[in-house]
Amino acid sequence: MVIKELEQLGSKQSPYKRSIVLIRHGTTQWNVEKKYLGHTDMGLLPDAQEELAQLREQCRELTWDTVYCSDLLRCRQTLAHIAPQLIEQAKFDSRLRENDFGQWEGLNYEQLKDNLLYRDWIDDPHKVTPPEGEAWKTFAERVDSFLYEQIWSEHSHENSHKTLIVTHGGVIRYMMSRLIHGVGFWDTHVIPGQAIQVDLEKQGDHWLGRRVDFPYIGL
């Protein structure tokens, strides 16, 4: 499936639309220490409520047709801080987890920079896998599985649909590269506690996507 920029919309409007908000979890201690944090189940810093206060206010009056969240603690806590009323509605999905960095979990660049395999991974993460970690192909396939099932499938939702996804930085970067034509994995910069909105519209066989300002929500 090819995802193209939402630039060809003209006279013929599609009945199938999606408005997706991607939220990266709040800050953890390993984020502060610039350590690789993948599947390690670490919670947020004690000041998370203060850090996420603005996002909580932005989400206060918003409603969602579906809410998805990584099953890791830092994402669960983020959702609880910004929209506690959505906890019962949320579907916790392990496919939304960050990439698993294996033996490099809890280490930072300074600790790894002299490791030749690490340097090869930095140069080409598609071909090199961290020891006991997750291959890029496996990571991409599970995130694509989520996108096809929950976002792109015409049978998953009827017509217009608003979706909230609380997940991780790497997942958001990958999703943006799949949702918007011409956007590469490293083209999206997302900090802890940030929300990014993407509007999608079905045109023929393709979903066309564009990034829009949040907290605008509309279809």
mmCIF file of all heavy atoms in Angstrom, residues 123-155:
data_model
loop_
_atom_site.group_PDB
_atom_site.id
_atom_site.type_symbol
_atom_site.label_atom_id
_atom_site.label_comp_id
_atom_site.label_asym_id
_atom_site.label_seq_id
_atom_site.Cartn_x
_atom_site.Cartn_y
_atom_site.Cartn_z
ATOM 1 N N ASP A 123 24.899 2.984 11.504
ATOM 2 C CA ASP A 123 25.017 3.267 10.066
ATOM 3 C C ASP A 123 23.902 2.611 9.260
ATOM 4 O O ASP A 123 23.452 3.175 8.257
ATOM 5 C CB ASP A 123 26.371 2.780 9.534
ATOM 6 C CG ASP A 123 27.535 3.591 10.069
ATOM 7 O OD1 ASP A 123 27.306 4.755 10.481
ATOM 8 O OD2 ASP A 123 28.675 3.068 10.091
ATOM 9 N N ASP A 124 23.440 1.435 9.681
ATOM 10 C CA ASP A 124 22.433 0.713 8.902
ATOM 11 C C ASP A 124 21.578 -0.171 9.800
ATOM 12 O O ASP A 124 21.752 -1.393 9.849
ATOM 13 C CB ASP A 124 23.104 -0.139 7.828
ATOM 14 C CG ASP A 124 22.121 -0.602 6.766
ATOM 15 O OD1 ASP A 124 20.894 -0.436 6.972
ATOM 16 O OD2 ASP A 124 22.564 -1.130 5.724
ATOM 17 N N PRO A 125 20.627 0.441 10.553
ATOM 18 C CA PRO A 125 19.789 -0.340 11.474
ATOM 19 C C PRO A 125 18.872 -1.333 10.767
ATOM 20 O O PRO A 125 18.347 -2.252 11.404
ATOM 21 C CB PRO A 125 18.988 0.735 12.205
ATOM 22 C CG PRO A 125 18.967 1.906 11.270
ATOM 23 C CD PRO A 125 20.291 1.867 10.566
ATOM 24 N N HIS A 126 18.667 -1.165 9.450
ATOM 25 C CA HIS A 126 17.838 -2.118 8.722
ATOM 26 C C HIS A 126 18.515 -3.479 8.589
ATOM 27 O O HIS A 126 17.835 -4.502 8.464
ATOM 28 C CB HIS A 126 17.511 -1.580 7.322
ATOM 29 C CG HIS A 126 16.635 -0.367 7.330
ATOM 30 N ND1 HIS A 126 17.114 0.897 7.587
ATOM 31 C CD2 HIS A 126 15.297 -0.235 7.123
ATOM 32 C CE1 HIS A 126 16.119 1.762 7.529
ATOM 33 N NE2 HIS A 126 15.007 1.109 7.259
ATOM 34 N N LYS A 127 19.846 -3.496 8.610
ATOM 35 C CA LYS A 127 20.583 -4.735 8.379
ATOM 36 C C LYS A 127 21.260 -5.284 9.627
ATOM 37 O O LYS A 127 21.635 -6.460 9.657
ATOM 38 C CB LYS A 127 21.632 -4.507 7.284
ATOM 39 C CG LYS A 127 21.040 -4.198 5.919
ATOM 40 C CD LYS A 127 22.138 -4.041 4.878
ATOM 41 C CE LYS A 127 21.545 -3.741 3.495
ATOM 42 N NZ LYS A 127 22.610 -3.576 2.468
ATOM 43 N N VAL A 128 21.443 -4.449 10.642
ATOM 44 C CA VAL A 128 22.154 -4.863 11.850
ATOM 45 C C VAL A 128 21.178 -4.864 13.031
ATOM 46 O O VAL A 128 20.392 -3.922 13.193
ATOM 47 C CB VAL A 128 23.345 -3.923 12.143
ATOM 48 C CG1 VAL A 128 24.080 -4.370 13.404
ATOM 49 C CG2 VAL A 128 24.301 -3.898 10.949
ATOM 50 N N THR A 129 21.240 -5.909 13.852
ATOM 51 C CA THR A 129 20.332 -6.050 14.995
ATOM 52 C C THR A 129 21.135 -6.050 16.291
ATOM 53 O O THR A 129 22.163 -6.726 16.381
ATOM 54 C CB THR A 129 19.541 -7.366 14.893
ATOM 55 O OG1 THR A 129 18.793 -7.381 13.667
ATOM 56 C CG2 THR A 129 18.574 -7.516 16.064
ATOM 57 N N PRO A 130 20.694 -5.292 17.305
ATOM 58 C CA PRO A 130 21.379 -5.342 18.606
ATOM 59 C C PRO A 130 21.397 -6.765 19.158
ATOM 60 O O PRO A 130 20.439 -7.523 18.949
ATOM 61 C CB PRO A 130 20.516 -4.421 19.491
ATOM 62 C CG PRO A 130 19.828 -3.515 18.529
ATOM 63 C CD PRO A 130 19.576 -4.342 17.307
ATOM 64 N N PRO A 131 22.459 -7.182 19.854
ATOM 65 C CA PRO A 131 22.508 -8.531 20.430
ATOM 66 C C PRO A 131 21.289 -8.805 21.311
ATOM 67 O O PRO A 131 20.964 -8.007 22.188
ATOM 68 C CB PRO A 131 23.792 -8.506 21.271
ATOM 69 C CG PRO A 131 24.632 -7.441 20.647
ATOM 70 C CD PRO A 131 23.670 -6.399 20.162
ATOM 71 N N GLU A 132 20.593 -9.904 21.010
ATOM 72 C CA GLU A 132 19.384 -10.309 21.728
ATOM 73 C C GLU A 132 18.260 -9.288 21.584
ATOM 74 O O GLU A 132 17.283 -9.306 22.332
ATOM 75 C CB GLU A 132 19.682 -10.557 23.208
ATOM 76 C CG GLU A 132 20.719 -11.645 23.454
ATOM 77 C CD GLU A 132 20.989 -11.875 24.929
ATOM 78 O OE1 GLU A 132 20.169 -11.441 25.769
ATOM 79 O OE2 GLU A 132 22.019 -12.486 25.246
ATOM 80 N N GLY A 133 18.394 -8.396 20.606
ATOM 81 C CA GLY A 133 17.384 -7.370 20.382
ATOM 82 C C GLY A 133 16.441 -7.730 19.241
ATOM 83 O O GLY A 133 16.429 -8.854 18.742
ATOM 84 N N GLU A 134 15.679 -6.746 18.822
ATOM 85 C CA GLU A 134 14.645 -6.947 17.803
ATOM 86 C C GLU A 134 15.137 -6.466 16.448
ATOM 87 O O GLU A 134 15.608 -5.326 16.311
ATOM 88 C CB GLU A 134 13.380 -6.180 18.201
ATOM 89 C CG GLU A 134 12.204 -6.362 17.276
ATOM 90 C CD GLU A 134 10.955 -5.661 17.783
ATOM 91 O OE1 GLU A 134 11.091 -4.676 18.565
ATOM 92 O OE2 GLU A 134 9.850 -6.084 17.412
ATOM 93 N N ALA A 135 15.023 -7.306 15.444
ATOM 94 C CA ALA A 135 15.413 -6.934 14.094
ATOM 95 C C ALA A 135 14.479 -5.858 13.552
ATOM 96 O O ALA A 135 13.292 -5.814 13.895
ATOM 97 C CB ALA A 135 15.386 -8.155 13.180
ATOM 98 N N TRP A 136 15.023 -4.994 12.711
ATOM 99 C CA TRP A 136 14.212 -3.934 12.110
ATOM 100 C C TRP A 136 12.996 -4.524 11.394
ATOM 101 O O TRP A 136 11.891 -3.990 11.489
ATOM 102 C CB TRP A 136 15.044 -3.128 11.118
ATOM 103 C CG TRP A 136 14.230 -2.091 10.406
ATOM 104 C CD1 TRP A 136 13.590 -2.221 9.201
ATOM 105 C CD2 TRP A 136 13.921 -0.772 10.867
ATOM 106 N NE1 TRP A 136 12.903 -1.068 8.888
ATOM 107 C CE2 TRP A 136 13.097 -0.164 9.885
ATOM 108 C CE3 TRP A 136 14.274 -0.049 12.005
ATOM 109 C CZ2 TRP A 136 12.625 1.145 10.024
ATOM 110 C CZ3 TRP A 136 13.803 1.252 12.138
ATOM 111 C CH2 TRP A 136 12.985 1.837 11.158
ATOM 112 N N LYS A 137 13.180 -5.622 10.673
ATOM 113 C CA LYS A 137 12.084 -6.245 9.935
ATOM 114 C C LYS A 137 10.957 -6.648 10.878
ATOM 115 O O LYS A 137 9.777 -6.446 10.565
ATOM 116 C CB LYS A 137 12.604 -7.462 9.167
ATOM 117 C CG LYS A 137 11.562 -8.153 8.289
ATOM 118 C CD LYS A 137 12.221 -9.273 7.488
ATOM 119 C CE LYS A 137 11.222 -9.929 6.530
ATOM 120 N NZ LYS A 137 10.205 -10.715 7.256
ATOM 121 N N THR A 138 11.293 -7.194 12.032
ATOM 122 C CA THR A 138 10.280 -7.609 13.005
ATOM 123 C C THR A 138 9.542 -6.403 13.561
ATOM 124 O O THR A 138 8.310 -6.417 13.689
ATOM 125 C CB THR A 138 10.935 -8.393 14.149
ATOM 126 O OG1 THR A 138 11.657 -9.502 13.609
ATOM 127 C CG2 THR A 138 9.894 -8.907 15.133
ATOM 128 N N PHE A 139 10.289 -5.365 13.904
ATOM 129 C CA PHE A 139 9.689 -4.122 14.405
ATOM 130 C C PHE A 139 8.731 -3.540 13.375
ATOM 131 O O PHE A 139 7.576 -3.199 13.682
ATOM 132 C CB PHE A 139 10.800 -3.127 14.734
ATOM 133 C CG PHE A 139 10.341 -1.731 15.019
ATOM 134 C CD1 PHE A 139 9.706 -1.417 16.214
ATOM 135 C CD2 PHE A 139 10.553 -0.712 14.089
ATOM 136 C CE1 PHE A 139 9.276 -0.109 16.481
ATOM 137 C CE2 PHE A 139 10.136 0.584 14.349
ATOM 138 C CZ PHE A 139 9.498 0.887 15.546
ATOM 139 N N ALA A 140 9.191 -3.417 12.125
ATOM 140 C CA ALA A 140 8.368 -2.819 11.071
ATOM 141 C C ALA A 140 7.111 -3.645 10.813
ATOM 142 O O ALA A 140 6.014 -3.093 10.638
ATOM 143 C CB ALA A 140 9.185 -2.681 9.793
ATOM 144 N N GLU A 141 7.249 -4.961 10.818
ATOM 145 C CA GLU A 141 6.102 -5.829 10.524
ATOM 146 C C GLU A 141 5.025 -5.715 11.596
ATOM 147 O O GLU A 141 3.828 -5.733 11.280
ATOM 148 C CB GLU A 141 6.556 -7.274 10.372
ATOM 149 C CG GLU A 141 7.272 -7.536 9.062
ATOM 150 C CD GLU A 141 7.760 -8.973 8.936
ATOM 151 O OE1 GLU A 141 7.756 -9.695 9.980
ATOM 152 O OE2 GLU A 141 8.141 -9.374 7.816
ATOM 153 N N ARG A 142 5.431 -5.610 12.869
ATOM 154 C CA ARG A 142 4.390 -5.548 13.910
ATOM 155 C C ARG A 142 3.686 -4.190 13.897
ATOM 156 O O ARG A 142 2.471 -4.111 14.116
ATOM 157 C CB ARG A 142 4.956 -5.887 15.275
ATOM 158 C CG ARG A 142 5.984 -4.952 15.871
ATOM 159 C CD ARG A 142 6.294 -5.391 17.310
ATOM 160 N NE ARG A 142 7.500 -4.796 17.858
ATOM 161 C CZ ARG A 142 7.535 -3.618 18.470
ATOM 162 N NH1 ARG A 142 6.432 -2.895 18.585
ATOM 163 N NH2 ARG A 142 8.670 -3.165 18.975
ATOM 164 N N VAL A 143 4.423 -3.105 13.615
ATOM 165 C CA VAL A 143 3.771 -1.796 13.547
ATOM 166 C C VAL A 143 2.882 -1.723 12.313
ATOM 167 O O VAL A 143 1.760 -1.205 12.367
ATOM 168 C CB VAL A 143 4.798 -0.655 13.561
ATOM 169 C CG1 VAL A 143 4.093 0.702 13.459
ATOM 170 C CG2 VAL A 143 5.641 -0.703 14.831
ATOM 171 N N ASP A 144 3.354 -2.255 11.189
ATOM 172 C CA ASP A 144 2.511 -2.308 9.989
ATOM 173 C C ASP A 144 1.249 -3.122 10.235
ATOM 174 O O ASP A 144 0.161 -2.762 9.759
ATOM 175 C CB ASP A 144 3.292 -2.921 8.821
ATOM 176 C CG ASP A 144 4.215 -1.926 8.146
ATOM 177 O OD1 ASP A 144 4.030 -0.707 8.336
ATOM 178 O OD2 ASP A 144 5.126 -2.366 7.421
ATOM 179 N N SER A 145 1.386 -4.220 10.974
ATOM 180 C CA SER A 145 0.214 -5.038 11.291
ATOM 181 C C SER A 145 -0.840 -4.208 12.021
ATOM 182 O O SER A 145 -2.041 -4.296 11.716
ATOM 183 C CB SER A 145 0.631 -6.228 12.148
ATOM 184 O OG SER A 145 -0.491 -6.925 12.645
ATOM 185 N N PHE A 146 -0.398 -3.407 12.976
ATOM 186 C CA PHE A 146 -1.325 -2.533 13.698
ATOM 187 C C PHE A 146 -1.962 -1.530 12.738
ATOM 188 O O PHE A 146 -3.186 -1.314 12.761
ATOM 189 C CB PHE A 146 -0.598 -1.800 14.819
ATOM 190 C CG PHE A 146 -1.448 -0.775 15.514
ATOM 191 C CD1 PHE A 146 -2.264 -1.130 16.576
ATOM 192 C CD2 PHE A 146 -1.452 0.547 15.083
ATOM 193 C CE1 PHE A 146 -3.073 -0.181 17.200
ATOM 194 C CE2 PHE A 146 -2.252 1.502 15.710
ATOM 195 C CZ PHE A 146 -3.061 1.131 16.767
ATOM 196 N N LEU A 147 -1.150 -0.892 11.895
ATOM 197 C CA LEU A 147 -1.673 0.125 10.977
ATOM 198 C C LEU A 147 -2.713 -0.456 10.020
ATOM 199 O O LEU A 147 -3.773 0.131 9.799
ATOM 200 C CB LEU A 147 -0.532 0.764 10.190
ATOM 201 C CG LEU A 147 0.390 1.704 10.972
ATOM 202 C CD1 LEU A 147 1.575 2.121 10.114
ATOM 203 C CD2 LEU A 147 -0.375 2.948 11.435
ATOM 204 N N TYR A 148 -2.410 -1.606 9.448
ATOM 205 C CA TYR A 148 -3.356 -2.222 8.518
ATOM 206 C C TYR A 148 -4.659 -2.594 9.214
ATOM 207 O O TYR A 148 -5.757 -2.363 8.692
ATOM 208 C CB TYR A 148 -2.742 -3.470 7.876
ATOM 209 C CG TYR A 148 -1.816 -3.165 6.726
ATOM 210 C CD1 TYR A 148 -0.446 -3.364 6.842
ATOM 211 C CD2 TYR A 148 -2.305 -2.675 5.523
ATOM 212 C CE1 TYR A 148 0.416 -3.085 5.789
ATOM 213 C CE2 TYR A 148 -1.462 -2.389 4.467
ATOM 214 C CZ TYR A 148 -0.100 -2.591 4.606
ATOM 215 O OH TYR A 148 0.751 -2.298 3.562
ATOM 216 N N GLU A 149 -4.546 -3.155 10.407
ATOM 217 C CA GLU A 149 -5.732 -3.654 11.112
ATOM 218 C C GLU A 149 -6.581 -2.536 11.699
ATOM 219 O O GLU A 149 -7.816 -2.568 11.606
ATOM 220 C CB GLU A 149 -5.288 -4.600 12.229
ATOM 221 C CG GLU A 149 -6.434 -5.195 13.029
ATOM 222 C CD GLU A 149 -5.934 -6.111 14.115
ATOM 223 O OE1 GLU A 149 -4.973 -6.881 13.859
ATOM 224 O OE2 GLU A 149 -6.484 -6.056 15.227
ATOM 225 N N GLN A 150 -5.935 -1.536 12.298
ATOM 226 C CA GLN A 150 -6.661 -0.526 13.064
ATOM 227 C C GLN A 150 -6.841 0.816 12.353
ATOM 228 O O GLN A 150 -7.703 1.603 12.750
ATOM 229 C CB GLN A 150 -5.965 -0.288 14.410
ATOM 230 C CG GLN A 150 -5.731 -1.539 15.231
ATOM 231 C CD GLN A 150 -7.024 -2.243 15.625
ATOM 232 O OE1 GLN A 150 -8.123 -1.706 15.455
ATOM 233 N NE2 GLN A 150 -6.910 -3.452 16.156
ATOM 234 N N ILE A 151 -6.046 1.097 11.336
ATOM 235 C CA ILE A 151 -6.106 2.412 10.689
ATOM 236 C C ILE A 151 -6.542 2.320 9.232
ATOM 237 O O ILE A 151 -7.496 2.971 8.816
ATOM 238 C CB ILE A 151 -4.739 3.130 10.768
ATOM 239 C CG1 ILE A 151 -4.283 3.255 12.226
ATOM 240 C CG2 ILE A 151 -4.822 4.508 10.098
ATOM 241 C CD1 ILE A 151 -5.220 4.026 13.132
ATOM 242 N N TRP A 152 -5.861 1.503 8.437
ATOM 243 C CA TRP A 152 -6.117 1.495 7.006
ATOM 244 C C TRP A 152 -7.298 0.632 6.594
ATOM 245 O O TRP A 152 -7.871 0.844 5.529
ATOM 246 C CB TRP A 152 -4.870 1.025 6.250
ATOM 247 C CG TRP A 152 -3.743 2.013 6.286
ATOM 248 C CD1 TRP A 152 -3.843 3.378 6.312
ATOM 249 C CD2 TRP A 152 -2.343 1.727 6.305
ATOM 250 N NE1 TRP A 152 -2.597 3.949 6.347
ATOM 251 C CE2 TRP A 152 -1.650 2.966 6.340
ATOM 252 C CE3 TRP A 152 -1.607 0.546 6.286
ATOM 253 C CZ2 TRP A 152 -0.265 3.042 6.355
ATOM 254 C CZ3 TRP A 152 -0.221 0.631 6.300
ATOM 255 C CH2 TRP A 152 0.440 1.861 6.331
ATOM 256 N N SER A 153 -7.656 -0.336 7.394
ATOM 257 C CA SER A 153 -8.741 -1.237 7.006
ATOM 258 C C SER A 153 -10.073 -0.506 6.969
ATOM 259 O O SER A 153 -10.487 0.117 7.945
ATOM 260 C CB SER A 153 -8.842 -2.407 7.985
ATOM 261 O OG SER A 153 -10.003 -3.167 7.730
ATOM 262 N N GLU A 154 -10.756 -0.565 5.841
ATOM 263 C CA GLU A 154 -12.069 0.065 5.723
ATOM 264 C C GLU A 154 -13.103 -0.643 6.586
ATOM 265 O O GLU A 154 -14.142 -0.073 6.917
ATOM 266 C CB GLU A 154 -12.514 0.056 4.259
ATOM 267 C CG GLU A 154 -11.660 0.920 3.355
ATOM 268 C CD GLU A 154 -12.110 0.856 1.912
ATOM 269 O OE1 GLU A 154 -13.157 0.217 1.657
ATOM 270 O OE2 GLU A 154 -11.422 1.423 1.041
ATOM 271 N N HIS A 155 -12.815 -1.871 6.957
ATOM 272 C CA HIS A 155 -13.777 -2.644 7.746
ATOM 273 C C HIS A 155 -13.629 -2.392 9.242
ATOM 274 O O HIS A 155 -14.491 -2.780 10.025
ATOM 275 C CB HIS A 155 -13.601 -4.135 7.449
ATOM 276 C CG HIS A 155 -13.731 -4.479 6.001
ATOM 277 N ND1 HIS A 155 -14.921 -4.373 5.316
ATOM 278 C CD2 HIS A 155 -12.800 -4.886 5.086
ATOM 279 C CE1 HIS A 155 -14.738 -4.715 4.050
ATOM 280 N NE2 HIS A 155 -13.467 -5.028 3.883
#
